[in-house]
């Protein structure tokens, strides 16, 4: 049989197809075949690139074919139509001069069908149909023609000829002579092909979806841009982003912060405007851009100017102003405002805030004030992390934004009123703010970037030193302001409060005159305080009433005398002068020191027959309660001097009450007062009404020193007391008391409680 080697294709039996033949030896083989019985052996080359194949280059199983047509093409090659007849195996190979001749063994497929073959055929058909439907590459006619095939072997051959197999795979099938095995093999291959097809489909839908989405977004974005340009762009994001970028560039922020800000701005630009995140980022960038990073005012450190401004705004306060000027002088010499933080301590309304304001003015710096009263959460100082809904920077950063420069005077009001709870200790954060070593890189949870606070001049205010946490207090230079005397208050009212309030109420100087007697009345009967805040309020009320009189046309000028004042403000609110009009038994006057300045305290004691119980009322703190116990124990040790026998105390109940029961009171300094009141109650001797006293008592009757003498004497004077009993150890504090007050009071220094009793009890002890 002449051999026709095939390149890249394979002919199954019963397949009909055209083949172009060009190689000389192949043409010769064909011509020879045409001369005999038109049959030829077709064998496929293992490698289609081999030009002149020899025995080993060919698969040994091929097809015996019938040449049905032959056509000479103009270029000298032949086009033939062949039909495969049978599988055949090459047995012997011989190369003749013009073409190759082979001996072959022809194999014919079995046509007998048992049940198994039938089953296999059906399975193959099902698989094929399924494959054909999902692949889209096989026509319905083909499917139908395949369905018609009866012979199992041919069925396998036809189906595999329609599948996208490689030549080697097709050859594999060709070489399976056993029909059942061939069907079996085909089922497996069909199944595999189906799997691949499914995967292909899955991948392509994914790709398609992704394509569609990006196209849609792109389209919408383009549309939005077009709309924005159409609207003039200014309200769109683009304009806003450009504005923010300009702001960031102009803010002078450190390089690292600038990078962060620009990166966030980029993110913002890309996000859809309606998304929640977009708002959060915008807010953040806005904060970064609007904080002062390098803008600074030039300091004026001129002590003379500072002195003038302090004097202009404040009457009195000589010592305090002196201390402030000293502080500023040291800063000037050191050429920096770094150093301990100033802390102004004193009752409300004594001018702490206004002093700080004047300091800012004299330095030519911006002034900001934050109140720390009631701050109990670290995040109020340091801000919330941005992940929280509605997060904001802490008060320090907010203050800096308000200031607009990096070197304002920053007032931390009521630093003693910070408390702490489970949400963290704000004073720890304050420490970082106030420590010059650390505040160059203050970190706010919201801002995240470190912020430089080292140029800020912090000034703190407090009512009470005792509640300021120790470590904070260590960093502060404390200046105490005690409170004003009546004379000072009068001066302040005349020189500051009245001019200020008349102006604020739109009144002219000619509209209102407040007589001296009215000012004194204001101080004595309408206010009782260490500072002048209440006084300022009362002056404001007077101005308001005067404004009404003038506007209603009743009068052109209002002169406020004592009488007019009473008409305006109503009856006297406070009693001035003698607290008690008569000497009383069991009632002693103590002097107390509270956060609002000094005050007088009445201590009442009553004795009733009973079982020796001690009852304490009037909202007393622990220290004060213990002090009462100590006073009682001391008095018990005096039995023989009191003229009672030892069992007296077991047969009487004692009740100590400190009026204005709703106001909390604490401290040890009422010790001698309570002892005096108890002795008075037991002996029935009255206590001199003009005597006030203060001092801690020990069990053995020693009198220990107390604090706040200056404030206490001011309040004693206000209350109209004339004699003050105080511990001997407080002698040197008398110098601090303003002279006008000192002159009007008699001070009795004592070291033993018995001396107190002798001085205070009417008729002695
Ligand atoms: P504080 O901060 O101590 O509570 P402020 O500074 O708010 O007190 O003072 C309350 C008011 O009293 C302000 O209007 C202030 O100007 C005025 N004032 C306080 N002390 C003086 C003073 N020595 N001279 C003039 N005005 C004063």
């Amino acid at each position: 049989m002449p051999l026709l080697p095939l390149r890249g294709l394979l002919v199954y039996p019963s397949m009909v197809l055209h083949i172009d033949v060009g190689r000389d030896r192949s043409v010769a083989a064909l011509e020879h075949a045409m001369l005999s019985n038109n049959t030829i052996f077709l064998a496929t080359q293992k490698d289609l690139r081999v030009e002149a194949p020899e025995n080993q280059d060919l698969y040994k199983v091929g097809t015996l074919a019938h040449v049905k047509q032959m056509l000479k093409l103009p270029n000298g090659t032949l086009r033939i139509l062949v039909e495969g007849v049978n599988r055949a195996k090459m047995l012997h190979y011989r190369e003749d001069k013009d073409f190759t001749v082979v001996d072959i063994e022809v194999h014919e497929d079995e046509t007998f069908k048992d049940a198994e073959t039938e089953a296999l055929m059906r399975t193959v058909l099902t698989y094929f149909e399924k494959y054909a439907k999902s692949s889209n590459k096989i026509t319905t006619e083909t499917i139908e023609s395949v369905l018609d095939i009866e012979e199992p072997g041919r069925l396998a051959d036809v189906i595999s000829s329609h599948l996208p197999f490689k030549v080697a795979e097709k050859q594999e099938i060709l070489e399976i002579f056993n029909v059942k095995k061939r069907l079996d093999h085909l089922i497996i291959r069909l199944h595999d092909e189906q799997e691949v097809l499914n995967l292909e489909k899955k991948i392509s839908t994914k790709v398609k979806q992704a394509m569609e989405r990006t196209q849609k977004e792109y389209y919408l974005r383009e549309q939005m841009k077009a709309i924005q340009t159409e609207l003039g762009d200014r309200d769109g994001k683009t304009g806003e982003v450009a504005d923010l970028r300009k702001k960031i560039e102009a803010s002078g922020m450190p390089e690292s912060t600038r990078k962060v800000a620009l990166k966030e701005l980029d993110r913002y630009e890309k996000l859809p405007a309606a998304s929640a995140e977009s708002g959060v980022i915008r807010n953040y960038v806005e904060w970064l851009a609007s904080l002062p990073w390098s803008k600074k005012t030039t300091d004026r450190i001129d002590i003379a100017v500072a002195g003038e401004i302090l004097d202009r705004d404040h009457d009195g306060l000589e010592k305090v102003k002196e201390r402030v000027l000293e502080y500023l002088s040291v800063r000037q010499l050191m050429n920096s405002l770094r150093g301990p933080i100033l802390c102004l301590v004193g009752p409300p309304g004594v001018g702490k805030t206004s002093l700080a304001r004047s300091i800012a003015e004299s330095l030519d710096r911006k002034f900001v004030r934050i109140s720390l009263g009631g701050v109990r959460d670290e995040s109020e100082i340091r801000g919330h992390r941005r992940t929280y809904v509605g997060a904001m920077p802490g008060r320090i950063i907010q203050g800096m934004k308000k200031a607009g420069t990096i070197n304002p005077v920053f007032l931390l009001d009521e630093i003693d009123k910070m408390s702490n709870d489970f949400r963290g200790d704000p004073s720890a954060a304050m420490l970082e703010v106030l420590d010059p070593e650390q505040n160059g890189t203050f970190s706010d949870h919201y801002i995240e970037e470190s912020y430089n606070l080292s140029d800020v001049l912090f000034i703190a205010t407090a009512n009470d030193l005792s509640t300021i946490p120790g470590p904070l207090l260590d960093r502060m230079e404390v200046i105490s302001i005690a409170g004003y005397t009546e004379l000072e208050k009068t001066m302040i009212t005349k020189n500051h409060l009245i001019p200020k309030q008349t102006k604020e109420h739109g009144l002219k100087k000619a509209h209102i005159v407040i007589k001296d007697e009215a000012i004194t009345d204001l101080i004595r009967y309408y206010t009782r305080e260490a500072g002048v805040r209440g006084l300022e309020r009362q002056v404001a009320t007077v101005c308001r009433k005067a404004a009404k009189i003038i506007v209603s046309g009743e009068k052109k000028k209002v002169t406020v005398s004592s009488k007019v004042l009473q008409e305006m403000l109503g009856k006297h609110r406070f009693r001035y002068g003698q607290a008690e009009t008569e000497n009383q038994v069991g009632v002693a006057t103590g002097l107390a020191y509270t956060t609002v300045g000094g005050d007088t305290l009445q201590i009442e004691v009553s004795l009733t027959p009973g079982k020796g119980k001690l009852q304490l009322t009037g909202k007393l703190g622990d220290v004060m309660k213990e002090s009462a116990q100590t006073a009682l124990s001391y008095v018990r040790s005096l039995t023989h001097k009191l003229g009672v026998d030892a069992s007296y105390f077991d047969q009487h109940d004692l009740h100590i009450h400190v009026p204005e029961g709703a106001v909390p009171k604490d401290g040890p300094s009422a010790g001698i007062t309570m002892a005096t009141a108890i002795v008075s109650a037991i002996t029935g001797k009255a206590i001199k009404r003009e005597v006030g006293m203060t001092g801690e008592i020990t069990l053995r009757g020693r009198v220990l020193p107390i604090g706040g003498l200056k404030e206490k004497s001011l309040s004693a004077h206000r209350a109209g007391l004339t004699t003050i009993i105080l511990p001997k150890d407080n002698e040197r504090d008398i110098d601090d008391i303003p002279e006008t007050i000192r002159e009007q009071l008699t001070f009795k220094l004592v070291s033993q409680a018995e001396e107190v009793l002798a001085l205070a009890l009417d008729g002695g002890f």
Side-chain angles (χ1 to χ4, degrees):
M1 196 65 61
L3 167 81
L4 178 59
L6 299 178
R7 292 212 264 195
L9 77 127
L10 182 143
V11 178
Y12 284 113
S14 81
M15 237 172 106
V16 179
L17 80 166
H18 283 284
I19 302 174
D20 286 351
V21 182
R23 290 185 277 196
D24 291 344
R25 289 179 72 81
S26 301
V27 172
L30 259 177
E31 277 165 350
H32 180 83
M34 294 312 280
L35 292 176
S36 51
N37 57 357
N38 286 2
T39 50
I40 194 162
F41 180 66
L42 306 174
T44 304
Q45 274 178 226
K46 289 177 183 161
D47 182 351
L48 58 86
R49 284 165 304 183
V50 176
E51 192 54 38
E54 293 173 16
N55 192 7
Q56 73 276 6
D57 295 325
L58 296 167
Y59 287 118
K60 291 289 161 299
V61 177
T63 316
L64 179 65
H66 187 74
V67 182
K68 298 180 98 176
Q69 263 176 27
M70 191 168 82
L71 197 68
K72 254 199 171 37
L73 294 178
N75 62 0
T77 58
L78 292 177
R79 170 162 299 172
I80 53 165
L81 184 69
V82 291
E83 182 183 16
V85 181
N86 274 321
R87 284 175 161 73
K89 200 170 181 180
M90 197 198 299
L91 296 177
H92 185 250
Y93 177 93
R94 189 183 83 233
E95 292 194 355
D96 277 1
K97 193 166 132 271
D98 293 327
F99 57 92
T100 308
V101 180
V102 290
D103 293 341
I104 55 169
E105 179 189 279
V106 177
H107 170 86
E108 218 163 310
D109 277 347
E110 260 184 74
T111 49
F112 167 74
K113 282 192 277 183
D114 59 7
E116 192 189 353
T117 320
E118 192 65 51
L120 283 169
M121 282 177 74
R122 283 190 200 169
T123 316
V124 165
L125 277 172
T126 329
Y127 271 104
F128 179 66
E129 266 184 299
K130 194 169 151 204
Y131 173 82
K133 275 199 190 115
S134 48
S135 88
N136 278 336
K137 280 187 192 125
I138 294 161
T139 59
T140 12
E141 293 90 70
T142 317
I143 300 174
E144 269 163 24
S145 67
V146 168
L147 287 177
D148 286 342
I149 298 173
E150 293 283 328
E151 307 91 322
R154 205 174 133 229
L155 179 72
D157 288 346
V158 172
I159 288 181
S160 70
S161 74
H162 284 299
L163 294 176
F165 289 156
K166 293 204 184 84
V167 173
E169 282 174 297
K170 288 191 172 175
Q171 178 71 32
E172 207 180 319
I173 292 170
L174 188 71
E175 287 178 12
I176 305 175
F177 289 169
N178 182 311
V179 173
K180 281 186 193 166
K181 278 194 183 144
R182 202 181 309 156
L183 284 168
D184 215 33
H185 181 82
L186 196 60
I187 290 171
I188 293 170
R189 290 293 298 117
L190 266 170
H191 179 264
D192 289 352
E193 279 304 309
Q194 186 67 47
E195 291 281 286
V196 174
L197 207 62
N198 289 346
L199 263 178
E200 268 177 15
K201 272 209 170 147
K202 225 184 200 166
I203 292 168
S204 85
T205 35
K206 260 192 202 159
V207 171
K208 203 168 144 220
Q209 276 173 355
M211 285 286 291
E212 273 170 4
R213 204 177 43 235
T214 49
Q215 270 172 351
K216 191 169 131 199
E217 271 176 25
Y218 173 78
Y219 175 71
L220 286 176
R221 251 182 243 284
E222 286 299 305
Q223 223 172 17
M224 195 162 74
K225 263 194 214 158
I227 292 172
Q228 279 177 357
T229 5
E230 208 47 43
L231 286 176
D233 200 28
R234 280 199 311 147
D235 303 325
K237 223 178 191 181
T238 332
E240 187 191 344
V241 167
D243 276 356
L244 279 172
R245 183 162 289 131
K246 236 185 266 164
K247 247 175 144 183
I248 292 172
E249 297 296 352
S251 69
M253 55 178 79
E255 186 52 33
S256 58
T257 314
R258 198 181 71 102
K259 269 194 195 144
V260 172
L262 290 176
K263 204 174 115 202
E264 292 292 318
L265 189 62
D266 260 9
R267 267 180 69 200
Y268 170 61
E269 197 174 4
K270 286 189 191 123
L271 281 172
S275 77
E277 209 192 344
S278 151
V280 172
I281 297 180
R282 202 208 115 95
N283 227 353
Y284 177 62
V285 175
E286 189 108 81
W287 264 104
L288 284 182
S290 56
L291 269 183
W293 293 96
S294 57
K295 195 174 164 212
K296 206 170 173 176
T297 49
T298 328
D299 277 344
R300 168 178 59 197
I301 306 192
D302 183 332
I303 297 304
V305 174
E308 271 167 34
I309 293 178
L310 287 177
D311 279 340
R312 184 195 71 197
D313 294 343
H314 301 93
D315 263 321
L317 295 179
E318 297 313 329
K319 267 196 176 163
V320 177
K321 289 187 213 162
E322 192 63 32
R323 283 281 304 276
V324 170
L325 292 180
E326 282 165 15
Y327 177 84
L328 291 178
S329 309
V330 172
R331 301 291 142 236
Q332 181 180 356
L333 284 180
M334 311 243 305
N335 210 0
S336 120
L337 283 164
R338 285 207 187 187
I341 312 298
L342 262 190
C343 181
L344 303 169
V345 181
V350 292
K352 300 183 295 293
T353 312
S354 102
L355 271 172
R357 218 181 273 276
S358 298
I359 293 175
E361 192 189 333
S362 69
L363 289 170
D364 220 355
R365 284 183 173 214
K366 292 259 189 285
F367 178 77
V368 278
R369 166 179 177 271
I370 61 167
S371 175
L372 296 176
V375 168
R376 48 171 59 210
D377 185 348
E378 194 198 355
S379 62
E380 292 197 45
I381 305 290
R382 242 194 234 289
H384 284 286
R385 297 202 181 280
R386 256 185 298 148
T387 41
Y388 285 90
V389 176
M392 283 238 280
R395 296 190 185 200
I396 299 292
I397 290 293
Q398 293 189 21
M400 293 310 292
K401 182 180 169 189
K402 229 191 301 169
T405 61
I406 60 163
N407 64 338
V409 169
F410 201 127
L411 186 70
L412 305 166
D413 227 351
E414 306 195 303
I415 202 163
D416 56 331
K417 300 284 193 306
M418 276 189 315
S419 53
N420 58 355
D421 63 8
F422 60 94
R423 280 168 297 194
D425 185 356
S427 64
M430 277 321 288
L431 261 184
E432 194 184 321
V433 172
L434 297 183
D435 186 351
E437 301 292 327
Q438 292 181 54
N439 69 10
T441 53
F442 174 69
S443 66
D444 183 280
H445 290 327
Y446 181 84
I447 296 295
E448 278 178 359
E449 296 301 300
S450 69
Y451 188 83
N452 183 1
L453 289 174
S454 62
D455 286 318
V456 178
L457 176 63
F458 286 104
I459 299 180
T461 78
N463 289 144
D464 184 2
L465 274 188
S466 65
T467 54
I468 302 180
L472 269 183
L473 197 57
D474 273 355
R475 287 174 172 70
M476 303 200 280
E477 185 170 331
V478 174
I479 299 183
S480 303
I481 309 176
Y484 297 118
T485 61
E486 192 175 303
L487 192 66
E488 284 169 328
K489 283 186 183 175
T490 312
M491 295 304 290
I492 294 172
T493 314
K494 275 192 189 168
N495 297 337
H496 295 279
L497 304 184
I498 296 177
K500 192 166 143 199
Q501 289 305 323
T502 43
K503 199 168 146 213
E504 271 179 23
H505 287 80
L507 295 167
K508 299 252 160 50
K509 249 190 178 167
H511 282 146
I512 182 169
V513 174
I514 303 182
K515 288 185 165 179
D516 284 0
E517 55 172 36
I519 295 178
T520 311
D521 283 3
L522 274 175
I523 295 168
R524 288 187 176 172
Y525 302 120
Y526 293 94
T527 60
R528 175 169 286 176
E529 57 179 354
V532 293
R533 209 175 265 175
L535 191 55
E536 188 170 19
R537 259 200 307 276
Q538 296 299 342
V539 172
T541 313
V542 170
C543 290
R544 224 167 34 239
K545 306 250 178 207
K548 190 181 159 215
I549 294 172
I550 285 163
V551 171
S552 65
E554 215 175 292
K555 277 182 196 167
K556 281 218 170 58
K557 178 174 182 171
V558 181
T559 308
V560 185
S561 61
S562 280
K563 205 171 131 257
V564 177
L565 192 69
Q566 258 206 47
E567 286 165 19
M568 284 177 159
L569 299 181
K571 285 217 184 92
H572 291 176
R573 291 239 184 111
F574 300 100
R575 274 195 298 167
Y576 179 80
Q578 208 62 42
E580 299 292 340
T581 44
E582 284 168 24
N583 294 348
Q584 302 230 7
V585 175
V587 180
T589 308
L591 303 177
Y593 177 51
T594 67
T595 54
V596 295
D599 206 353
T600 54
L601 278 185
Q602 301 293 320
I603 292 182
E604 303 175 346
V605 173
S606 82
L607 268 174
T608 46
K611 296 205 175 88
K613 254 187 10 203
L614 172 64
Q615 195 180 0
L616 298 166
T617 52
K619 222 171 183 193
L620 311 186
D622 286 345
V623 178
M624 199 151 174
K625 281 184 191 157
E626 281 170 11
S627 178
Q629 308 256 11
T630 316
L632 177 59
S633 300
Y634 163 70
V635 174
R636 287 179 83 141
S637 72
L638 295 179
T639 1
H640 61 286
K641 289 193 185 162
L642 294 170
V644 295
D645 54 55
S647 62
Y648 180 87
F649 290 97
D650 299 328
Q651 291 157 7
H652 290 84
D653 285 346
L654 202 62
H655 184 169
I656 301 181
H657 177 65
V658 187
E660 290 191 57
V663 183
K665 309 164 191 81
D666 205 0
S669 71
I672 58 169
T673 322
M674 290 193 274
T676 308
I678 297 171
V679 171
S680 162
I682 295 171
T683 58
K685 285 186 181 169
I687 297 168
K688 295 180 188 160
R689 62 193 167 108
E690 74 279 5
V691 174
M693 58 192 92
T694 176
E696 184 176 345
I697 194 168
T698 69
L699 277 179
R700 290 185 299 159
R702 268 189 43 221
V703 180
L704 300 183
I706 44 75
L709 184 63
K710 186 176 167 194
E711 291 79 359
K712 286 176 175 173
S713 3
L714 288 178
S715 72
H717 180 254
R718 262 201 309 274
L721 302 174
T722 53
T723 306
I724 293 189
I725 301 174
L726 68 153
K728 192 151 192 351
D729 291 341
N730 281 108
E731 188 172 4
R732 64 199 158 96
D733 297 329
I734 296 180
D735 292 342
D736 288 342
I737 300 169
E739 204 169 328
T740 46
I741 305 289
R742 219 181 331 159
E743 279 167 359
Q744 295 174 41
L745 293 174
T746 315
F747 295 96
K748 304 278 188 198
L749 298 162
V750 296
S751 50
Q752 283 297 326
E754 281 192 46
E755 295 173 58
V756 180
L757 297 174
L759 287 164
L761 294 178
D762 199 12
F765 182 64

